Amino acid sequence: MNHETRPLPRWDFGAATRQSLRNESLAKALFRATAKFDDGRRALMAALPESDLLREKARQIKDDVLQHLDRYLAEFADSVEKAGGVVHWARTAGDANALVASIARERNVKRIVKAKTMVSEETHLNEALEREGFCVMETDLGEYILQVAGDRPSHIVVPAVHRTKEEIADLFNSSFGVSLPPEPAEITKFARARLREEFANADMGITGANFAAADTGTVIQVTNEGNGRLCATWPPVQVVFMGIEKIIPRLEDLPVFLKLLARSATGQPMTVYTNLITGPRREGEGDGPRELHVILIDNGRTTVLGSGYRQTLRCIRCGACLNTCPVYRNVGGHTYGSVYPGPIGSVLSPLYEGRSRFNSLPHASSLCGACYQACPMKINIPHMLTAMRAEQAEHGENHVLERLGMRLWALAMRSPLLYRFGGKALRWGMLPLSSEGWVSSLPYPFSGWTKRRDFPLPAKKSFRGSFKK
Amino acid sequence: MRVSLFITCLADLFHPEIGLAMVSILRKHGVELVFPRGQTCCGQPAFNTGNWAEARSVAARMLDVFEGSEYVVSPSASCTAMIREAFPRLFVNDEALLARSEALASRSYEFIEFLGKVLNIKSTDARFDGRLTYHYTCHQRALGMTTEAEDLVKSLQGVTYIPLDGKERCCGFGGAFSIKMPDLSGHLANDKAERIIETGAEAVVVNDTGCIMNISGALKRRGVPVKVIHLARILSGEVTAP
Ligand code: SF4
């Protein structure tokens, strides 16, 4: 991107956790929301007898799409054009943003309304459009709150999950000179009235796509607020901003994904709105945009397709891995420093936003496997994380102390004699630091352990010393 | 039936009593036991930090140590998962070692899993006179284990079982994670400790050595006398009360 002149500094996830763990209102807001979604997901998936079959089916469909992505994309583009839409291809984030800007400029657009799309966060579309002088308004309630606050999303489904209702009421009251109580219904009512006007005055609507059917050219959006439908139908021009991995082969494949997405995302059997958009307004139709543009964005996806991380392209951005992750639940999305947070973000951010900048994110996991178990698309996130760690070590990017320590450790572990001696030495070394079998302060680099917990002294006699035939 | 004991480095050095409890239970069921003396560690610390060259060298030795074994049983789901999940990934480019690691994977069991799947033991007449809760350790997930251990805990004679809120939530150990992200890891350990304390239980069953160190370390720091016990020690009759 041309506005980035120098590389951004490395993100230190460990340091960021120290900040976040001190933030109590964050902890409160996060815990409430993620527990609700995670519990809801578990209950609904458990109540769906065919959930395992559905997950397997969804995995197969997506793997087939990824295997033949070129063919399916060509078919999708054809279908969109047959239905009267226009397809644009964007190789980079910058290309994608420039395409939207030029469509808007040519049509003399001034005001743009936007539904929630993660890929527009990825390309920083709003900033790009604002730099060109367009007025861009987010219409998803969460995104709207963040836009008013000048804040960034911290979750891929519930962008403002880190803010309590009290904070949101305060924000609106001070920004708009009103006096709303901290009641979700009141806050929503207020935002809805303001947003109505935006819809009515907008010259262009931008939406994302949850899925896109190759056989019919249908773009599918799944939302709960209805703002997506207004973005897609009210303004005269609609732009669908989507990553190339969103394709599904046939419209009839959609139910498999719909059943999984709502349950996994928010613990709902179905979302409130499911929009199926095939082409612009047709002759004789009473609503819908006059023009429909679909922007198909690569921005690194084809590179990932050809790598060992291909399965991440199956992701349907449901957020289940975030809601269930013990790390995410405690530190929140901003701690990841990137567009995509949580377990899947720890893989996506290095892939799309820079391996070296986000080299701490593959370590932002205890590898507990909760994400893999929750993922409706069966993405083995722990495998992806360890594979990334291995690539880092292979390129000598891990800490020199760790490298040295691991070599010594491996040497000892390859020799039972050294291992036994090492075990004894460990006990002797720790003995003077201990009291009643516990150490409460270990030296660097292990001092972190004893900041918040004690460490046990090795036993007097090991198992191998005690086992009798 | 012959079982090769894979005691794991943490149990060997820090909690030998767990291995001894396994020995007593397996012997009671007429299982012949061997303890291959060449064993050290499964290589997980190197694997999880991405140091796969080192992990490979240690894992290759494990293949030698357990060559020809009938069953390999460990008190740690984490180390069994290392053999089952990680060894084949480490040797993906070496046909001979890959075949051997897959063979070892198919003979390897976590202790409770082995009791259920191979010895068909799903209940117990062991006792525990006291209030007991249970934490589900994460690597059971990787082995496809669900409620096997919890069912055994519930079936103990004399027990008052109190379910733990968020029992499946990671305790934050994660091996090298506990050193690399110490604040976060410590926070999760303390959160787990708080949930355990909330139950009012006098002891908590935790079936993996890393998690035992982590959780008992957090409880110790808080000065709370809740005991952290591996289920094998209750099943063997070594521990019958808090
Ligand atoms: S990785 Fe899986 S669980 Fe996470 S957002 Fe993507 S589809 Fe959902």
Side-chain angles (χ1 to χ4, degrees):
Chain A
M1 272 175 286
N2 48 20
H3 61 279
E4 270 176 30
T5 43
R6 61 193 165 77
L8 291 154
R10 280 215 168 141
W11 184 258
D12 184 344
F13 180 81
T17 63
R18 281 191 282 282
Q19 289 278 326
S20 313
L21 289 173
R22 276 197 292 267
N23 185 342
E24 276 171 30
S25 91
L26 171 76
K28 211 171 86 190
L30 259 180
F31 187 83
R32 224 189 270 150
T34 52
K36 188 179 114 208
F37 294 140
D38 192 45
D39 295 348
R41 171 187 64 81
R42 283 167 198 263
L44 278 191
M45 289 301 257
L48 191 69
E50 72 272 30
S51 67
D52 281 345
L53 284 173
L54 279 174
R55 291 170 71 205
E56 181 53 24
K57 179 94 188 143
R59 184 192 68 75
Q60 283 171 8
I61 295 172
K62 268 291 186 197
D63 276 350
D64 170 57
V65 166
L66 296 173
Q67 186 68 38
H68 307 286
L69 190 56
D70 50 346
R71 214 180 67 206
Y72 282 119
L73 277 169
E75 188 188 343
F76 174 69
D78 263 5
S79 307
V80 169
E81 299 201 328
K82 265 192 213 125
V86 186
V87 174
H88 310 261
W89 302 88
R91 202 173 58 80
T92 65
D95 294 350
N97 297 345
L99 276 166
V100 181
S102 83
I103 295 169
R105 228 181 290 114
E106 281 161 23
R107 282 152 192 83
N108 207 12
V109 163
K110 301 223 158 37
R111 306 185 72 83
I112 300 173
V113 282
K114 248 183 102 215
K116 200 180 100 56
T117 101
M118 279 313 294
V119 66
S120 75
E121 298 289 339
E122 182 185 319
T123 67
H124 303 284
L125 176 62
N126 288 14
E127 291 92 319
L129 291 175
E130 278 160 7
R131 267 200 309 275
E132 301 258 345
F134 299 105
C135 168
V136 187
M137 192 54 73
E138 293 286 353
T139 63
D140 170 89
L141 179 58
E143 293 281 358
Y144 178 67
I145 293 165
L146 298 180
Q147 195 176 30
V148 173
D151 194 2
R152 297 182 300 111
S154 72
H155 191 290
I156 60 180
V157 176
V158 245
V161 68
H162 57 288
R163 293 191 167 239
T164 60
K165 53 184 190 290
E166 290 78 12
E167 288 171 343
I168 297 166
D170 285 350
L171 170 76
F172 280 9
N173 292 341
S174 64
S175 307
F176 302 116
V178 287
S179 51
L180 297 168
E183 294 301 330
E186 292 294 314
I187 295 171
T188 311
K189 204 168 118 195
F190 174 78
R192 183 180 291 139
R194 287 190 74 94
L195 287 171
R196 271 293 141 157
E197 271 177 51
E198 297 294 340
F199 284 119
N201 295 325
D203 313 304
M204 180 193 246
I206 300 175
T207 70
N210 291 94
F211 307 99
D215 62 343
T216 57
T218 305
V219 172
I220 298 104
Q221 291 149 5
V222 176
T223 76
N224 270 328
E225 293 174 8
N227 67 306
R229 184 167 290 179
L230 290 174
C231 282
T233 52
W234 203 336
V237 182
Q238 188 200 354
V239 173
V240 177
F241 205 67
M242 61 176 276
I244 53 173
E245 83 284 15
K246 295 288 172 190
I247 301 287
I248 57 175
R250 292 163 300 271
L251 192 57
E252 69 181 51
D253 296 322
L254 184 62
V256 175
F257 293 93
L258 289 183
K259 278 187 191 168
L260 289 170
L261 178 55
R263 285 179 170 81
S264 304
T266 46
Q268 291 168 285
M270 211 176 160
T271 45
V272 181
Y273 295 89
T274 305
N275 305 331
L276 283 75
I277 299 162
T278 314
R281 182 191 298 207
R282 268 175 286 251
E283 217 45 67
E285 285 180 345
D287 61 5
R290 303 281 170 190
E291 285 180 55
L292 176 82
H293 297 265
V294 178
I295 304 195
L296 288 161
I297 303 158
D298 181 341
N299 199 32
R301 284 162 176 73
T302 47
T303 310
V304 172
L305 188 68
S307 76
Y309 302 98
R310 172 186 284 196
Q311 59 176 292
T312 58
L313 290 166
R314 294 203 296 258
C315 176
I316 56 172
R317 307 283 190 263
C318 72
C321 58
L322 279 61
N323 298 331
T324 205
C325 175
V327 172
Y328 178 89
R329 287 170 77 132
N330 277 283
V331 300
H334 289 165
T335 312
Y336 295 77
S338 57
V339 171
Y340 297 105
I344 189 63
S346 300
V347 186
L348 297 182
S349 307
L351 289 175
Y352 293 97
E353 295 183 72
R355 296 246 189 166
S356 120
R357 178 167 176 223
F358 287 110
N359 67 353
S360 58
L361 292 189
H363 303 274
S365 163
S366 65
L367 303 177
C368 76
C371 49
Y372 180 32
Q373 192 177 40
C375 177
M377 300 306 296
K378 295 188 162 184
I379 298 170
N380 195 332
I381 298 172
H383 270 206
M384 305 287 100
L385 293 171
T386 44
M388 274 191 173
R389 295 176 188 184
E391 284 181 354
Q392 290 179 352
E394 213 172 289
H395 299 139
E397 288 162 25
N398 50 352
H399 198 285
V400 42
L401 259 184
E402 176 187 305
R403 251 189 340 260
L404 193 72
M406 279 299 153
R407 284 208 190 128
L408 285 173
W409 170 88
L411 202 70
M413 294 303 144
R414 286 199 301 269
S415 146
L417 197 73
L418 274 180
Y419 164 86
R420 280 214 309 275
F421 175 75
K424 291 245 156 64
L426 190 66
R427 184 175 155 84
W428 295 329
M430 280 170 57
L431 207 51
L433 305 173
S434 71
S435 113
E436 292 166 21
W438 290 91
V439 178
S440 56
S441 174
L442 283 169
Y444 181 81
F446 304 105
S447 42
W449 176 289
T450 45
K451 254 193 192 161
R452 292 172 188 240
R453 67 212 129 161
D454 290 352
F455 193 86
L457 194 64
K460 226 185 223 152
K461 203 166 173 194
S462 66
F463 177 85
R464 70 187 58 219
S466 323
F467 177 76
K468 289 188 198 69
K469 271 223 182 108
Chain B
M1 180 187 299
R2 206 180 71 242
V3 162
S4 298
L5 294 166
F6 167 35
I7 291 304
T8 80
C9 56
L10 290 185
D12 181 39
L13 298 174
F14 289 87
H15 292 289
E17 69 281 0
I18 298 171
L20 294 170
M22 271 172 59
V23 168
S24 114
I25 296 164
L26 292 173
R27 283 206 172 127
K28 207 168 77 193
H29 287 94
V31 177
E32 184 197 335
L33 296 178
V34 282
F35 175 69
R37 296 227 158 230
Q39 66 181 275
T40 56
C41 169
C42 61
Q44 197 168 185
F47 180 82
N48 283 357
T49 48
N51 294 279
W52 286 13
E54 284 76 13
R56 224 169 261 132
S57 74
V58 173
R61 260 201 82 253
M62 287 280 290
L63 297 180
D64 292 340
V65 167
F66 288 103
E67 186 69 46
S69 52
E70 190 182 341
Y71 293 104
V72 176
V73 179
S74 96
S76 159
S78 159
C79 306
T80 299
M82 174 71 194
I83 294 180
R84 262 199 229 162
E85 291 248 293
F87 279 21
R89 289 177 71 198
L90 286 171
F91 298 121
V92 74
N93 293 321
D94 184 322
E95 233 175 273
L97 288 175
L98 178 62
R100 285 176 65 200
S101 66
E102 278 169 352
L104 177 61
S106 71
R107 313 194 287 271
S108 293
Y109 293 86
E110 186 272 345
F111 177 64
I112 301 297
E113 184 188 31
F114 181 77
L115 289 186
K117 274 200 186 148
V118 182
L119 298 182
N120 204 21
I121 298 169
K122 290 169 182 157
S123 62
T124 173
D125 50 15
R127 43 182 322 117
F128 188 88
D129 294 297
R131 295 191 303 278
L132 192 58
T133 187
Y134 165 78
H135 162 66
Y136 173 89
T137 62
C138 297
H139 280 92
Q140 295 183 64
R141 243 192 301 266
L143 299 181
M145 293 174 69
T146 54
T147 60
E148 294 84 344
E150 192 182 7
D151 292 344
L152 282 169
V153 169
K154 285 183 191 160
S155 77
L156 291 167
Q157 310 290 315
V159 77
T160 307
Y161 177 64
I162 312 166
L164 176 64
D165 178 36
K167 62 173 177 269
E168 304 172 337
R169 209 172 305 137
C170 178
C171 72
F173 173 65
F177 176 77
S178 64
I179 304 299
K180 285 200 167 181
M181 303 284 168
D183 299 276
L184 182 53
S185 166
H187 181 85
L188 295 174
N190 277 283
D191 186 57
K192 183 59 73 180
E194 264 172 51
R195 299 286 90 76
I196 292 170
I197 295 165
E198 262 169 27
T199 64
E202 297 154 291
V204 54
V205 166
V206 177
N207 274 354
D208 214 323
T209 38
C211 320
I212 292 179
M213 283 173 111
N214 192 41
I215 295 172
S216 58
L219 287 165
K220 179 77 182 50
R221 176 64 59 92
R222 289 165 169 258
V224 181
V226 178
K227 273 201 184 151
V228 182
I229 312 173
H230 193 286
L231 185 54
R233 298 176 60 203
I234 302 179
L235 297 180
S236 73
E238 182 212 333
V239 179
T240 56

